[in-house]
Amino acid sequence: MSNNNPLALMATTLLACAMTVACSVSTASAGPGIAKRGIEQVSVSGNGVHRFSESIEHSTTVTETGITILSTEVIDLFGDLNGQILYHPVTEIDFGNQVLVNTGHQVFSGTVAGSAPVLIYDDKFRFDVDLAKGQVRGEVYLDRSLAGPRMFCELKVEGPVAPPGQNSEFTYEGTCWGLGLKKDGGISSPAGNLPKN
């Protein structure tokens, strides 16, 4: 039996959008009802510092092509995403091809485009590092809200490879969907406007 109650249909739509990024992406064209309920889509950008100097290495395993490292690290984010990431990467280094790949788990704690504080989990990120060229490129999928307003973010990250043991700076840009976002985005800080080590 179908339910034609407009409030029930809106509640069902909001719940579905809060649970899946795919639905959230389409909220901009889903009509004014959803926008009035606070679900917004915004473009985000900013920069950050990966604090390698404070990383904790848990284990190093020799592989056929190089090594695998398990560690705990902290990343500071500035701009539209303002806060910190607790980063638990699985780092696989291939010495022959001079490449490094990071996957694993991370949790962002902070604000997104003027939102209330949130905790968002990501276990789908991937960073590819070309050690020969000194370039880092990555994709981040903050897609599981743990606390605060429902929020989802997809980001692209770029930056140079830092010298061993030194902190690295990077920039990010992407899109976030969720409750309590400001349509004009948050307060962005210019690239390079980072605290010095």
Side-chain angles (χ1 to χ4, degrees), residues 111-178:
T111 59
V112 178
S115 73
V118 296
L119 280 175
I120 316 174
Y121 175 74
D122 169 17
D123 63 356
K124 299 178 184 70
F125 71 84
R126 179 183 172 101
F127 288 91
D128 291 287
V129 181
D130 186 326
L131 297 171
K133 295 181 179 178
Q135 294 179 328
V136 179
R137 289 205 168 126
E139 295 183 350
V140 172
Y141 301 93
L142 296 164
D143 63 1
R144 198 174 316 167
S145 290
L146 301 178
R150 294 282 184 186
M151 204 77 58
F152 311 93
C153 296
E154 294 183 2
L155 308 173
K156 292 194 179 298
V157 178
E158 290 190 4
V161 173
Q166 293 188 24
N167 296 342
S168 69
E169 300 181 2
F170 60 88
T171 59
Y172 68 85
E173 61 180 19
T175 305
C176 294
W177 302 265

Side-chain angles (χ1 to χ4, degrees), residues 44-53 73-87 102 106-108 122 125-129 134-140 142 154-163 166-174 188-197:
V44 294
S45 63
N47 48 43
V49 175
H50 191 148
R51 291 198 260 150
F52 285 110
S53 61
E73 302 169 13
V74 175
I75 298 168
D76 297 318
L77 291 182
F78 308 95
D80 294 316
L81 276 73
N82 190 11
Q84 290 187 323
I85 288 179
L86 183 61
Y87 188 54
N102 272 355
Q106 63 182 348
V107 176
F108 169 72
D122 169 17
F125 71 84
R126 179 183 172 101
F127 288 91
D128 291 287
V129 181
Q135 294 179 328
V136 179
R137 289 205 168 126
E139 295 183 350
V140 172
L142 296 164
E154 294 183 2
L155 308 173
K156 292 194 179 298
V157 178
E158 290 190 4
V161 173
Q166 293 188 24
N167 296 342
S168 69
E169 300 181 2
F170 60 88
T171 59
Y172 68 85
E173 61 180 19
S188 296
S189 64
N193 185 19
L194 304 170
K196 297 303 177 188
N197 304 325

Side-chain angles (χ1 to χ4, degrees), residues 14-93:
L14 285 171
L15 179 59
C17 286
M19 298 304 288
T20 65
V21 173
C23 183
S24 297
V25 174
S26 66
T27 57
S29 60
I34 288 179
K36 287 180 182 177
R37 299 279 194 218
I39 295 179
E40 301 290 354
Q41 173 181 331
V42 296
S43 295
V44 294
S45 63
N47 48 43
V49 175
H50 191 148
R51 291 198 260 150
F52 285 110
S53 61
E54 300 173 27
S55 67
I56 301 169
E57 189 174 305
H58 302 295
S59 67
T60 300
T61 305
V62 177
T63 66
E64 290 183 9
T65 58
I67 58 174
T68 298
I69 302 170
L70 301 181
S71 61
T72 297
E73 302 169 13
V74 175
I75 298 168
D76 297 318
L77 291 182
F78 308 95
D80 294 316
L81 276 73
N82 190 11
Q84 290 187 323
I85 288 179
L86 183 61
Y87 188 54
H88 186 192
V90 177
T91 302
E92 298 182 55
I93 303 175

